[in-house]
Amino acid sequence: MDKIEEEIAAQNGNLEESSSGKDGSICGYESLRHLLSVNLKPHLYKEVSRLLIGLNCGKPLELIALPESAKALSSKHEFDLQAFSFDADKELVREPRVVRVGLIQNSVALPTTAPLLDQKRAIFQKLKPIIDSAGASGVNILCLQEAWMMPFAFCTREKRWCEFAEPVDGESTQFLQEYARKYNMVIINPILERDVNHGETLWNTAIIIGNRGNIIGKHRKNHIPRVGDFNESTYYMEGNTGHPVFETAYGKIAVNICYGRHHPLNWLAFGLNGAEIVFNPSATVGELSEPMWPIEARNAAIANSYFVGSINRVGTETFPNPFTSGDGKPQHADFGHFYGSSHFSAPDASCTPSLSRYKDGLLISDMDLNLCRQLKDKWGFRMTARYELYADMLARYLKPDFEPQVISDPLLHKKSL
């Protein structure tokens, strides 16, 4: 490699420096939970945890004991592995509906200067032990991060990255179908899709692979950001698949891809269609969104009475050609640190601690889907919602002659005597 390639390699994926402050850590700690647990006395940490991540059925989340084979893979391949259990109250009529769900976060595996196919296949190799760990742990539904099979190159606005795009039944889907069959596992496969039947148009798409390796369906990203480096409409536009919910062997699931998490009505629509678990595969960086990250998905889980799995990639991806962000700042070759921190949120306002801010990771959760209905009964959000008022408001808002319903103080613009 020449000097430029070496510099890029040093900043990409698993070649990233691991010293504190340069690897995405928080003051040398891999997560907020780690920082607090080390620096607070146990009784203080317990109370802070209650306030930060809530209680599930009145008690802290319990750890899940995972098989030694799964832990050995985590140790050998140096990825974060955590597992927690969400309970529901025991019911007299329904049996518990416990499903084991997994989220994978990862950095890229090769520098962005490497041949494209080498980059993609290196990511495949990197994920094999993580998926095997999920399979060994008995995960029923597994979700990968947004566009997991490539660097998140949309910041560059260079069209050569379009070569990573695949048809729905392409290489990435085929790779994951083998694992779905092997482990009897439903897998959500978020890719850059090339629609060969419609002018080879590109889409940001999540493919749902059934536990027998079949393709159940797909969903295309509803909301496309135009925020600084995240001007993704250079590559693809808003999706055309609505808000589908996929009925799988393990429950009804949906996928709210990345930027859609900023739109409450997007979350609502998946809930109205009956979702029990909504996944949010993402790619977002610290300076832009980190204060929002622990809030939006948790709020969605509460408001819509379903579980949410939030996934974010990790690492700093550096590209060969510098680019600008339309904000007047100097050009740069990366657009920040992807801060990982993947986590689960439950309808009762509890959530898991997050995965590492800088390491690859697998987060596993047992969740009793009975909790969804129990929280609907408790809070009555569906019953007390005023959908007819909202529908009327939205219908009026879409008309060109819409006028906001503002009632002004009649004395506001009068001169005082």
Side-chain angles (χ1 to χ4, degrees), residues 196-211:
V196 295
N197 291 332
H198 295 88
E200 302 197 4
T201 303
L202 298 185
W203 303 94
N204 187 318
T205 301
I207 300 157
I208 314 303
I209 302 171
N211 59 307

Side-chain angles (χ1 to χ4, degrees), residues 363-381:
L363 180 62
I364 296 173
S365 174
D366 283 350
M367 48 186 69
D368 188 340
L369 300 182
N370 283 353
L371 189 63
C372 299
R373 183 193 289 179
Q374 291 175 11
L375 268 294
K376 290 176 182 176
D377 289 346
K378 177 178 180 178
W379 285 104
F381 291 151

Side-chain angles (χ1 to χ4, degrees), residues 274-301:
E276 297 170 310
I277 310 170
V278 179
F279 294 94
N280 179 226
S282 300
T284 186
V285 294
E287 183 178 349
L288 179 69
S289 66
E290 195 162 13
M292 305 157 72
W293 181 249
I295 298 170
E296 291 172 308
R298 193 174 181 185
N299 182 67

Side-chain angles (χ1 to χ4, degrees), residues 312-325:
N312 185 27
R313 65 174 58 205
V314 290
T316 302
E317 299 172 359
T318 305
F319 296 94
N321 301 317
F323 49 89
T324 60
S325 307

Side-chain angles (χ1 to χ4, degrees), residues 146 191-192 202-206 219-221 232 236 257:
E146 182 183 21
I191 66 165
L192 180 63
L202 298 185
W203 303 94
N204 187 318
T205 301
H219 174 57
R220 291 168 173 161
K221 187 173 181 177
E232 297 168 29
Y236 44 78
I257 303 174

Side-chain angles (χ1 to χ4, degrees), residues 70-90:
K71 292 189 284 187
L73 286 167
S74 168
S75 178
K76 179 178 179 180
H77 297 278
E78 299 183 331
F79 61 86
D80 190 9
L81 177 62
Q82 300 184 44
F84 304 90
S85 178
F86 292 103
D87 291 329
D89 292 332
K90 186 176 181 180

